[in-house]
Every structure is written in structure tokens, then in C-alpha cells.
Amino acid sequence: MKKYINAKDILPEHLIKEIQKHVRGAHIYIPQTERQNWGVSTGIREELNERNEEIVLKYKSGLTISQLVNFYNLSEDRIRRIIYDREK
């Protein structure tokens, strides 16, 4: 769980008073206005895309789905979805 930030530490007094007219003493969540897509900041999205491309190439070069399941430690359904999604 993320640590809470005291509004007094980041908001001007007039804004705090305005918020207190609507919410007194309760915890509120203020969503971000802009958010990055999943995996962009960590690079995992790119890694998974590369892995999935590799799976498709190995399948096209003759490896069976069973061999890919064992090699990548993924379920047969997941391997099939990766292959069929990339072939569209």
C-alpha cells in the first residue's frame, strides 16, 4: 500500500479549506491526469513483445506447440493465443 501524504504538506491552505467543505477527515484518492501504459516504464512490455515474436518465429520454423510450452514454461492455451494473435 502506498504511503499517505498529508495535504498540508503539498496543497495551499485555501485549497484545503475548499476540500474540507466537501470531505472532512476522510481519506480521498485523487487520480492521476496522465498515466503511462502498463509496462512502459519498466520495459517489460517490450520484453514480452520480443519473447512473443520469438515464439512465433520458432513455431514457423517448425517447433511444435508442445515444444514451445516446455521451452517457455507457458500453457498451451497461452502459446496458441500468442501465435494466432500475431498471425492476424
Side-chain angles (χ1 to χ4, degrees), residues 65-66 69 74-84:
I65 290 177
S66 295
V69 164
L74 295 171
S75 71
E76 187 174 313
D77 286 341
R78 183 65 190 128
I79 295 289
R80 287 184 190 280
R81 271 187 273 138
I82 291 168
I83 292 168
Y84 298 140

Side-chain angles (χ1 to χ4, degrees), residues 13-31:
E13 185 64 30
H14 72 280
L15 186 53
I16 293 173
K17 289 185 185 294
E18 190 62 33
I19 293 170
Q20 285 173 333
K21 290 179 185 177
H22 304 278
V23 180
R24 290 192 170 265
H27 295 280
I28 61 171
Y29 170 74
I30 301 173

Side-chain angles (χ1 to χ4, degrees), residues 30-42:
I30 301 173
Q32 298 176 1
T33 54
E34 294 181 21
R35 190 171 184 171
Q36 288 185 328
N37 289 331
W38 176 87
V40 172
S41 63
T42 62

